[in-house]
Amino acid sequence: MPHATPSIAPSVWLHIGAGSFHRAHQAWYLHRLMASGDRRWSIALANIRDDATPLLDALAAQRGEYVLETVTPQGERRYETITSIQKIIPWDAELAALTAEGARPETRVISFTVTEAGYYLDNQFNLDRQNADIQADLRGGCRTIYGAVAQILQRRMQLNGDPVTLLNCDNLRHNGDRFRHGLMQFLQLRHEDALIDWLERRTRCPNTMVDRITPRPSPEVAIRVAEATGIEDRAPVMAESFIQWVIEDDFAAGRPALEQVGVELVASVLPYEEAKIRILNASHSCIAWAGTLIGQRFIHESTLTDAIRQMAYDYVTQDVIPCLTPSPIDLADYRDRVLERFGNPDIRDTNQRVAADGFSKIPGFIVPTLLECAQRGERPRATLMLPALFFVFLLRWHQGRLPYDYQDGMLDAPAAHRLFATDDPLAAYAADATLFGALGHDAEFAQLLRQAVTQVNRWLGE
Ligand code: NAD
């Protein structure tokens, strides 16, 4: 590996969560900025759990460097050595090294990717205080992001009191606000009044929207990297070529000039999140449910199937774009790029993974469009195809005819089976309040949904 120039960056960006995504996303942007000659910031990388230790050791042996492989929808691969991570923080059970790094005045941003489940929030987005890890941290531990950040901030408040930005980079709606709310509840339960007051005055938690499909690197990635670059990399990472990062420009102690490398710094991330949820996430589910129903395994196969692509295209074009207009985003272009990304055969994402969690995706991703269309006096026929596909998918699940295990954190299996024991399962499904809320009482909705299910069955030849 070529050696990095020794770091003289005066400002440190501390990242917690040494997963693949950080190294394909935030580290890539910082790398591009440094490569352009702006070396004022560099990354220090740490992990809360012990599960990243082999990776951190491999990175430390490579002075923080690794190769990122990206692949376009046309199959073109590119290789880039990423050099922005200039300090690897070794893991220890008390997170002593991480705490010391976070408390240094040079550390001005602390970002994190600890997965959606790493925030321990219930359906109302309140802290799940029954969780064993949260309970351990309420007693002074540091197993969760709340315990770790509380420990860092406590030390920082004592040592220098310098302000710092806490930047959530996980895939969560309103991720900065939700993290801050969870952290506040956590500190209130610990009666940390002085720290709460300090946190309110000296920190910011801007919301962010992050996007780049980054599968877990398979062993083939290292082989391809060696063939293409000659580098024997023990920690390579692979991602799609597309990348996007939108951040609310509300930092407590400065930030890198990220706008120089394509990051969108905005006043509010909400329109970007809404476009992502309704266009990217809902279309993804539509494609996965439809693809499963015709026996396909991979997202790209289903996206490249004309009838399925058309369903996703019509849903976005006919219903979502009118609902989200006006928008700072070119929504038609966003739709086309999303469908192109899903068609990338080299990502090999499965319909099983994306079809999961329908009972939270229908209310979260799809019902807002149904309601807004109804308010506008329109009949959202294209959107209704999505819950219609899910109805037929659920029927197959009920009959034991799905080709895989269906995973759904919100599924009440006995209640879902009972839907199909009624005289009119479709009427019972349409009236299900957990899926459709107030729409469950709407006779026109039930009738239109029935027409959409007939259309799905006709497409399936059933
Ligand atoms: P990964 O499996 O490679 O890494 C997960 C990291 O989170 C590990 O460092 C692990 O130690 C840590 N972690 C897991 N649970 C934790 C917990 N409860 N508390 C503290 N740390 C915990 O995953 P990844 O690909 O890096 O993705 C991580 C997150 O990034 C996703 O959950 C998502 O929110 C966001 N993201 C990922 C992608 C993607 O395509 N991979 C795209 C957009 C956003």
Side-chain angles (χ1 to χ4, degrees), residues 19-21 47 49 51 115-116 120 170-171 212 214 216:
S20 309
F21 180 61
N47 212 55
R49 296 184 163 182
D51 58 0
T115 79
E116 291 84 334
Y120 305 91
D170 271 306
N171 244 345
R212 173 169 248 185
T214 309
R216 191 152 289 171

Side-chain angles (χ1 to χ4, degrees), residues 8 15 20 52 119 146 177 181 196 232 263 276 401 444:
I8 46 155
H15 185 81
S20 309
Y119 297 92
Y146 303 114
D177 297 340
H181 181 64
I196 290 174
E232 296 293 332
V263 178
K276 185 176 178 219
R401 289 171 59 212
E444 188 182 27

Side-chain angles (χ1 to χ4, degrees), residues 194-236:
L195 188 54
I196 290 174
D197 177 58
W198 186 87
L199 185 87
E200 275 171 349
R201 287 184 295 108
R202 307 297 274 170
T203 65
R204 292 279 185 282
C205 300
N207 294 306
T208 67
M209 191 277 261
V210 292
D211 197 3
R212 173 169 248 185
I213 298 171
T214 309
R216 191 152 289 171
S218 65
E220 288 76 41
V221 178
I223 296 168
R224 283 197 300 268
V225 165
E227 277 169 7
T229 66
I231 298 172
E232 296 293 332
D233 194 332
R234 288 172 54 211

Side-chain angles (χ1 to χ4, degrees), residues 15-26 45-53 55 112-120 131 133 142-146 148 168-172 175 209-217 237-240 244 276 341 349 353:
H15 185 81
I16 305 175
S20 309
F21 180 61
H22 167 71
R23 296 192 299 125
H25 191 268
Q26 300 96 51
L45 182 63
N47 212 55
I48 292 177
R49 296 184 163 182
D50 195 15
D51 58 0
T53 301
L55 176 87
F112 29 91
T113 46
V114 291
T115 79
E116 291 84 334
Y119 297 92
Y120 305 91
N131 179 278
D133 288 342
C142 54
R143 290 189 202 170
T144 73
I145 189 68
Y146 303 114
N168 188 339
C169 297
D170 271 306
N171 244 345
L172 222 67
N175 59 4
M209 191 277 261
V210 292
D211 197 3
R212 173 169 248 185
I213 298 171
T214 309
R216 191 152 289 171
V237 67
M238 184 262 195
E240 65 172 336
Q244 190 179 21
K276 185 176 178 219
R341 291 165 62 195
D349 213 354
R353 187 186 80 79

Side-chain angles (χ1 to χ4, degrees), residues 220-398:
E220 288 76 41
V221 178
I223 296 168
R224 283 197 300 268
V225 165
E227 277 169 7
T229 66
I231 298 172
E232 296 293 332
D233 194 332
R234 288 172 54 211
V237 67
M238 184 262 195
E240 65 172 336
S241 52
F242 179 89
I243 189 164
Q244 190 179 21
W245 196 5
V246 187
I247 311 178
E248 290 177 356
D249 198 359
D250 182 23
F251 285 71
R255 60 165 173 81
L258 292 168
E259 70 281 7
Q260 300 295 334
V261 285
V263 178
E264 295 158 80
L265 279 308
V266 298
S268 166
V269 95
L270 298 189
Y272 298 87
E273 275 182 356
E274 216 43 52
K276 185 176 178 219
I277 285 166
R278 297 206 206 183
I279 297 179
L280 186 144
N281 299 117
S283 304
H284 221 183
S285 307
C286 165
I287 289 167
W289 294 327
T292 301
L293 292 178
I294 58 166
Q296 294 172 336
R297 182 160 171 223
F298 292 109
I299 286 288
H300 67 268
E301 292 175 85
S302 309
T303 308
L304 298 174
T305 299
D306 288 345
I308 296 179
R309 188 180 187 285
Q310 195 66 44
M311 276 188 247
Y313 184 93
D314 288 347
Y315 149 70
V316 176
T317 311
Q318 293 173 19
D319 296 339
V320 177
I321 292 181
C323 284
L324 297 187
T325 302
S327 168
I329 303 154
D330 180 339
L331 297 167
D333 179 62
Y334 188 74
R335 168 202 61 205
D336 294 345
R337 296 199 70 182
V338 160
L339 290 174
E340 190 187 36
R341 291 165 62 195
F342 291 167
N344 187 338
D346 296 299
I347 299 293
R348 302 184 77 73
D349 213 354
T350 61
N351 284 328
Q352 176 180 17
R353 187 186 80 79
V354 180
D357 292 323
F359 273 84
S360 38
K361 289 175 178 172
I362 297 254
F365 299 172
I366 298 163
V367 168
T369 303
L370 293 174
L371 285 171
E372 284 166 34
C373 285
Q375 281 157 11
R376 296 151 62 96
E378 279 159 20
R379 292 181 165 166
R381 290 187 193 281
T383 305
L384 282 157
M385 292 301 281
L386 279 65
L389 286 165
F390 187 63
F391 174 76
V392 180
F393 179 92
L394 206 58
L395 173 63
R396 297 249 183 115
W397 164 83
H398 164 72

Side-chain angles (χ1 to χ4, degrees), residues 31-95:
H31 167 76
R32 295 304 296 229
L33 191 59
M34 294 169 78
S36 77
D38 183 344
R39 305 186 65 82
R40 288 174 289 177
W41 290 75
S42 67
I43 297 175
L45 182 63
N47 212 55
I48 292 177
R49 296 184 163 182
D50 195 15
D51 58 0
T53 301
L55 176 87
L56 291 176
D57 289 347
L59 281 173
Q62 296 175 180
R63 302 167 60 95
E65 296 182 11
Y66 56 93
V67 176
L68 168 67
E69 177 191 62
T70 54
V71 58
T72 68
Q74 293 72 35
E76 263 171 67
R77 294 181 195 270
R78 287 196 53 198
Y79 298 87
E80 203 171 354
T81 298
I82 306 298
T83 60
S84 52
I85 300 177
Q86 301 211 331
K87 190 166 186 178
I88 304 293
I89 317 253
W91 184 85
D92 64 86
E94 277 75 46
L95 303 184

